[in-house]
Amino acid sequence: MRQIILDTETTGIDPKDGHRLIEIGAVEMVNRRLTGNTYHQYINPEREIEAEAVAIHGITNERVADEPVFAEIADAFWAFIEGAELVIHNAPFDVGFIDHELGLLNAARGEPRLGPVADHCRILDTLRMARDKHPGQRNSLDALCKRYEIENGHRVLHGALLDSEILADVYLAMTGGQTALSLDASTGGEGEGDNGGGMAIRRLSLSPGQLRVQAPDEAELAAHRDKLARIREAAGECRWDGLDGWPASPEAPD
């Protein structure tokens, strides 16, 4: 499955008030593995950026004055996301701005028409997922990084590409079991990176059903039963005996 983890920065809060996109950042994941393919673009919004927005993302009017307008980058951006599942934190915000830009483009261009996003991409909102998973708790991207022990100390200001990279790690952690940790932080290679905690993260490329489960042989089962018997003898009981579906030993107490 192809997924695009995406984030945007804007001139303000609401496109209905004439606010526009100024940055798009996205990273590609296939079968839950980051491919290294990214999309990153600053955009001239053809309007002033609100001071409150600059305080959040640090992108000034001067920074984007010489960047292309959305109409100039729309086709390349659309080619990158079309047909993928978009993974976005607070998806209605970002998708709303993208659809607004596509609407302005289509009105000016006529054909070919692009969008709306939901007609061409599946959308997964990680904010909604986090609220379902952690009700009553803070579920901002920073809060999720802290909860899942994901390094984000380099995130002083919001940035679309940086935030999409961090969100990719958060999404993998939220959905469980997609990363393997190597104790050798110096080990390099494709798909690995330093997580800031002295360990490297290596993402696995296993497809569903590909992970092999090795059942114990009779000798291993016998050794395990002997170990439990010694625990019972020393402690007077074995906690495993009370578990549903666990075959109790004949020596186990009632």
Side-chain angles (χ1 to χ4, degrees):
M1 177 174 63
R2 183 172 183 263
Q3 295 173 297
I4 300 296
I5 296 82
L6 183 145
D7 186 58
T8 66
E9 301 299 340
T10 66
T11 63
I13 294 298
D14 196 337
K16 294 179 182 177
D17 295 331
H19 287 294
R20 306 286 300 274
L21 291 176
I22 55 174
E23 185 187 13
I24 302 172
V27 297
E28 181 186 58
M29 185 183 297
V30 176
N31 294 331
R32 307 182 69 77
R33 181 180 184 182
L34 291 169
T35 66
N37 292 332
T38 65
Y39 178 90
H40 184 229
Q41 182 65 59
Y42 288 103
I43 302 165
N44 182 340
E46 303 177 278
R47 60 152 293 158
E48 294 293 304
I49 304 172
E50 290 191 343
E52 293 85 352
V54 175
I56 293 172
H57 50 58
I59 302 172
T60 63
N61 294 296
E62 293 74 21
R63 172 64 186 82
V64 295
D66 295 326
E67 297 294 339
V69 299
F70 184 81
E72 297 176 274
I73 62 94
D75 292 299
F77 169 62
W78 188 253
F80 189 77
I81 69 168
E82 187 177 16
E85 179 178 68
L86 304 185
V87 180
I88 307 173
H89 203 65
N90 192 15
F93 178 87
D94 300 85
V95 173
F97 267 94
I98 295 169
D99 279 342
H100 177 70
E101 294 286 354
L102 294 175
L104 294 175
L105 175 67
N106 291 333
R109 174 189 284 182
E111 298 292 340
R113 301 182 66 83
L114 303 180
V117 172
D119 287 354
H120 299 267
C121 304
R122 293 178 58 191
I123 299 170
L124 190 157
D125 186 353
T126 51
L127 178 58
R128 176 178 292 183
M129 177 187 295
R131 285 171 174 169
D132 290 341
K133 193 175 181 68
H134 308 289
Q137 301 183 53
R138 294 182 63 246
N139 290 298
S140 67
L141 191 56
D142 285 335
L144 291 172
C145 285
K146 183 176 181 180
R147 186 171 302 143
Y148 288 103
E149 299 182 342
I150 293 169
E151 175 59 42
N152 72 332
H154 52 306
R155 185 182 186 247
V156 179
L157 294 170
H158 288 236
L161 183 59
L162 174 61
D163 284 3
S164 65
E165 292 170 343
I166 293 173
L167 180 58
D169 285 335
V170 168
Y171 168 71
L172 290 173
M174 285 177 63
T175 50
Q178 296 83 355
T179 61
L181 295 180
S182 167
L183 295 179
D184 182 6
S186 65
T187 300
E190 182 180 356
E192 296 185 1
D194 187 0
N195 72 350
M199 293 185 291
I201 296 178
R202 178 172 55 85
R203 291 177 175 82
L204 304 179
S205 57
L206 296 176
S207 301
Q210 186 179 348
L211 184 64
R212 182 182 179 188
V213 178
Q214 181 69 49
D217 59 28
E218 192 55 43
E220 291 169 328
L221 287 173
H224 183 62
R225 286 192 292 266
D226 180 65
K227 178 70 173 180
L228 295 185
R230 284 185 277 119
I231 292 173
R232 291 187 196 95
E233 183 178 353
E237 65 175 340
C238 180
R239 294 288 184 178
W240 280 274
D241 293 331
L243 296 177
D244 292 340
W246 186 267
S249 168
E251 298 92 358
D254 293 333

